Amino acid sequence: MKYNIIGRKVNLKDNFKERVYKKLGKFEKIYSDDAEATVTVTVEKNRQTVEVTIRDNGMMYRAESTALEMNDALDAVVDILGGQIRKNKTKLSKKMKPDSFEAYFADEDVDSDDELDDEDYAVVKTKTFSVKPLSVEEAILQMNLIGHEFFMFRNANSNEINVVYKRKNGTYGLLEPEV
């Protein structure tokens, strides 16, 4: 796995980087050698946020946590990623290294009657709607008018389907397809 560690408003010490390698290293047996982990640490006033994004075989795994100490936030992020993998292990096993899950879960203390493994992703409602060409600003306005956290639209500039969404900190994000 390739690592990219970024510090925003902070100079990261070598011992934190070593901790990142050690903590995320336990996931290396699951991901391919081409996997890329991006760790971003942001320090703002009394809080430190650690965000980890792992890209592998066209899939993306992301977790974020905020704590008073960046080491605590890193621990929480690793737990979140482990939970995501544990929850979706049967679906992910088809896309990951063969037999990697048995090795990963042999190290973990997981109850054998874990009900998350049996969870199905059932679609309970389907909506259809016309997708009109809009600017990003118009799409954000439309999203706010209907009171949703996200809104899909056809971008008037690129003619591609895009999604705008409201972020946790109140700002907005835009999802665009990659060519």
Side-chain angles (χ1 to χ4, degrees), residues 66-132:
T66 302
L68 294 174
E69 296 290 327
M70 67 179 73
N71 289 335
D72 295 337
L74 178 63
D75 291 344
V77 165
V78 169
D79 290 343
I80 292 168
L81 285 171
Q84 288 175 358
I85 292 167
R86 190 175 300 112
K87 181 177 179 181
N88 297 303
K89 76 176 184 178
T90 55
K91 292 175 179 64
L92 294 175
S93 64
K94 296 173 186 167
K95 294 193 179 263
M96 306 306 245
K97 287 183 180 177
D99 303 325
S100 61
F101 286 95
E102 288 75 18
Y104 175 73
F105 288 110
D107 298 342
E108 298 287 320
D109 294 331
V110 180
D111 296 336
S112 60
D113 59 342
D114 192 355
E115 59 195 46
L116 292 177
D117 292 343
D118 298 331
E119 181 179 317
D120 287 330
Y121 297 107
V123 176
V124 295
K125 185 176 182 179
T126 302
K127 280 186 168 183
T128 58
F129 57 95
S130 62
V131 182
K132 299 176 184 176

Side-chain angles (χ1 to χ4, degrees), residues 39-58:
V39 179
T40 306
V41 179
T42 307
V43 175
E44 295 178 358
K45 295 186 182 179
N46 296 339
R47 61 185 188 174
Q48 300 182 18
T49 303
V50 174
E51 175 185 331
V52 176
T53 304
I54 301 174
R55 297 175 199 275
D56 188 27
N57 293 330

